[in-house]
């Protein structure tokens, strides 16, 4: 009992810090995610006695990975799918699909090859790092977009891209970190096996999520009881994730597909307006708590990262990730007619990296050769992304004239 109480108090102390930082950030109208990372970094390099135990507990790799991937990730994905109407997604399906699939795969290949040939990373390390850099985290960007009145189409594109490319990035990470070497030994047959495994992970996740979303959509038709329907949504998000993982397919893709079905089809056939308001409010609160701890934990991780003699490698990694994103984005949307150049610039610079990348990196076993390099590079790029790209996003939006009424006239 004492151990449980101590753990609970450790989490509560970090949550208290998170809520205090968010309250201040909202008061001064700044993205709370960036503020939390900065505070986490400061806490990580300082010695505050009553927070030391909490920091040590929460930043252990197995704890962080379990909390972020198994608990928080289904929450954040589920919340995002409920907020993203399928009709809006369909209106922007061309750029969303182009970025989520073509852009993600192209940036993965570019970063992997550059890491191997230019940075001198071992092949498996280069491809694993590239997979981690394929996931985007638009939380900070979206909060800035909404506060400035950026066109809804841009918000939909960046949200849709993130939802789908998170699933693809996790699949690429699993293949790169676990199966890559054995597939390389098989030659061209290995390439075919890798593609089949990718399809298995992806299509399996789609099937599980689609089925679960449909079943729970039918279930809520029988009730007009929002507490029960909120409970159904929890079962859907966590059930989709863990059932998919049990069958060795993508849990992330399952949650995204299940949430989209439930949030659009299910909402249309089985949710009253009262239920819609309450279910969205519930998940917004849960997502806020999850995000607050995630971004604070990212900053706290600094005390466990060894930067010694790694600065040239870090600088090269940041440049390569930025160039990979730029080439992949412009190439993937090149065929879309009348796609504004200002939108391309915003989407390119807004492709921030976040908690999923760090959680996946921390999930690498100690026996993984090059784990230390992957951790250093991933942490450094994520922090650069959140602080430099995140803090410069507002001036860029204003410079491009994509805020408020001016954006409405040009969109």
């Amino acid at each position: 009992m004492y151990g449980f109480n101590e753990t609970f108090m450790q989490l509560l102390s970090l949550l208290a810090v998170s809520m205090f930082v968010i309250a201040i950030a909202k008061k001064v109208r700044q993205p709370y995610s960036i503020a939390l990372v900065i505070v986490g970094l400061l806490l990580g390099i300082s010695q505050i006695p009553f927070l030391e135990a909490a920091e040590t507990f929460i930043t252990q790799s197995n704890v962080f990975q379990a909390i972020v991937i198994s608990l928080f990730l289904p929450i954040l994905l589920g919340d995002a799918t409920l907020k993203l109407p399928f009709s809006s997604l369909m209106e922007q399906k061309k750029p969303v699909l182009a970025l989520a699939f073509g852009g993600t795969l192209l940036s993965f290949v570019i970063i992997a090859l550059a890491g191997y040939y230019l940075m001198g990373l071992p092949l498996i390390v280069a491809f694993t790092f590239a997979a981690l850099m394929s996931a985007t985290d638009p939380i900070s960007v979206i909060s800035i977009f909404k506060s400035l009145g950026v066109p809804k189409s841009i918000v939909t594109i960046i949200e849709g891209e993130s939802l789908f490319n998170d699933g693809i990035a996790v699949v690429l990470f699993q293949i790169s970190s676990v199966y890559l070497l054995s597939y390389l030994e098989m030659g061209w047959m290995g390439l075919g096996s890798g593609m089949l495994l990718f399809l298995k992970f992806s299509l399996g996740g789609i099937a599980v999520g689609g089925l679960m979303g449909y079943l729970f959509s039918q279930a809520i038709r029988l009730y007009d009881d929002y507490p029960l329907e909120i409970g159904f949504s929890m079962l859907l998000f966590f059930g989709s994730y863990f059932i998919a993982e049990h069958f060795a397919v993508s849990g992330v893709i399952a949650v995204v597909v299940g949430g989209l079905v439930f949030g659009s089809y299910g909402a249309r056939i089985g949710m009253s307006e009262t239920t819609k308001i309450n279910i969205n409010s519930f998940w917004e609160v849960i997502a806020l708590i999850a995000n607050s701890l995630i971004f604070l934990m990212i900053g706290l991780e600094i005390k466990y990262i060894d930067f010694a003699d790694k600065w040239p490698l870090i600088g090269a990694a940041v440049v390569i990730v930025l160039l990979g994103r730029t080439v992949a984005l412009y190439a993937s949307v090149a065929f879309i007619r009348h796609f504004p150049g200002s939108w391309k610039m915003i989407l390119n610079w807004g492709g921030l990296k976040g908690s999923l990348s760090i959680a996946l990196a921390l999930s690498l076993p100690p026996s993984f050769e090059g784990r230390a390099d992957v951790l250093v590079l991933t942490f450094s790029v994520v922090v650069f992304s959140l602080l430099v790209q995140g803090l410069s996003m507002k001036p860029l939006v204003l410079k491009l004239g994509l805020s408020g009424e001016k954006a409405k006239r040009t969109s």
Side-chain angles (χ1 to χ4, degrees):
M1 178 62 72
Y2 175 75
F4 174 80
N5 289 340
E6 186 178 24
T7 299
F8 180 77
M9 288 302 297
Q10 290 168 349
L11 288 171
L12 187 60
S13 62
L14 286 181
L15 182 60
V17 172
S18 301
M19 292 297 108
F20 181 71
V21 172
I22 291 174
I24 295 176
K26 286 182 176 288
K27 202 67 178 176
V28 297
R29 297 183 180 181
Q30 294 298 321
Y32 72 81
S33 54
I34 296 174
L36 284 165
V37 172
I38 294 173
V39 170
L41 289 171
L42 294 175
L43 292 175
I45 60 176
S46 61
Q47 302 291 331
I48 303 178
F50 82 96
L51 285 177
E52 280 292 311
E55 293 174 16
T56 302
F57 168 76
I58 207 67
T59 52
Q60 292 174 18
S61 62
N62 59 329
V63 174
F64 186 95
Q65 190 265 346
I67 290 176
V68 173
I69 294 184
S70 300
L71 178 61
F72 289 167
L73 190 56
I75 289 173
L76 298 178
L77 292 171
D79 174 64
T81 56
L82 290 176
K83 291 178 180 177
L84 186 60
F86 190 72
S87 57
S88 299
L89 198 59
M90 289 304 294
E91 289 175 5
Q92 302 299 330
K93 62 180 180 294
K94 287 185 178 180
V96 167
L97 292 175
L99 291 172
F101 291 92
T104 301
L105 294 172
L106 185 55
S107 67
F108 167 70
V109 172
I110 292 171
I111 295 170
L113 294 179
Y116 179 66
Y117 287 108
L118 301 181
M119 295 173 62
L121 298 174
L123 194 62
I124 190 171
V125 173
F127 274 82
T128 300
F129 173 66
L132 296 173
M133 294 298 100
S134 299
T136 58
D137 189 341
I139 294 169
S140 309
V141 174
I142 289 172
S143 64
I144 296 171
F145 284 178
K146 290 181 177 178
S147 68
L148 295 176
V150 170
K152 187 178 178 181
S153 299
I154 299 179
V155 177
T156 300
I157 292 170
I158 204 163
E159 281 186 307
E161 177 200 5
S162 176
L163 279 176
F164 290 108
N165 84 356
D166 280 356
I168 295 172
V170 171
V171 173
L172 292 173
F173 171 78
Q174 291 172 323
I175 293 174
S176 298
S177 61
V178 179
Y179 302 101
L180 181 63
L181 289 181
S182 60
Y183 286 160
L184 288 174
E185 293 174 357
M186 296 167 62
W188 287 107
M189 288 184 63
L191 178 62
S193 298
M195 293 178 66
L196 286 175
L197 185 61
F198 180 86
L199 289 175
K200 176 203 168 187
F201 278 135
S202 304
L203 297 179
I206 292 172
V208 171
L211 178 61
M212 293 286 286
Y214 176 79
L215 291 176
F216 278 96
S217 295
Q218 295 301 318
I220 62 174
R221 296 181 68 177
L222 305 175
Y223 305 92
D224 185 14
D225 185 334
Y226 73 81
L228 179 62
E229 292 173 80
I230 290 173
F232 281 157
S233 69
M234 294 180 70
L235 284 175
L236 168 63
F237 298 150
F238 288 105
S240 296
Y241 181 83
F242 287 107
I243 289 173
E245 291 294 314
H246 174 74
F247 288 105
V249 297
S250 176
V252 174
I253 293 177
V255 176
V256 170
V257 173
L260 287 173
V261 172
F262 186 77
S264 295
Y265 172 69
R268 189 177 73 250
I269 67 170
M271 287 188 199
S272 64
E273 287 303 315
T274 301
T275 296
K276 291 177 183 177
I277 292 171
N278 281 280
I279 201 170
N280 283 323
S281 297
F282 171 83
W283 283 109
E284 189 170 353
V285 173
I286 300 300
L288 176 68
I289 294 172
N291 275 321
S292 68
L293 290 174
I294 286 172
F295 285 104
L296 186 64
M297 286 190 287
I298 289 175
L300 292 173
E301 279 294 327
I302 190 172
K303 67 168 58 180
Y304 299 100
I305 304 295
D306 182 11
F307 296 96
D309 302 323
K310 299 287 177 59
W311 293 110
L313 203 62
I314 290 170
V318 169
V319 172
I320 285 171
V321 170
L322 290 175
L323 288 176
R325 168 71 178 179
T326 301
V327 173
L329 183 138
Y330 278 86
S332 61
V333 299
F335 71 95
I336 302 176
R337 298 178 60 187
H338 310 301
F339 197 77
S342 58
W343 289 24
K344 295 177 186 177
M345 293 180 65
I346 285 292
L347 292 170
N348 178 39
W349 196 242
L352 275 61
K353 316 304 175 189
S355 56
L356 178 60
S357 299
I358 287 185
L360 289 174
L362 288 167
S363 72
L364 290 169
S367 59
F368 182 86
E369 188 176 351
R371 183 179 188 271
D373 287 338
V374 171
L375 282 175
V376 170
L377 297 179
T378 302
F379 178 85
S380 302
V381 174
V382 167
V383 171
F384 173 89
S385 171
L386 290 170
L387 298 186
V388 177
Q389 292 176 253
L391 289 174
S392 61
M393 185 57 61
K394 183 175 180 178
L396 181 60
V397 169
L398 295 174
K399 183 176 179 61
L400 294 174
L402 291 174
S403 62
E405 293 301 318
K406 189 172 182 180
K408 294 179 182 178
R409 293 196 299 269
T410 57
S411 62

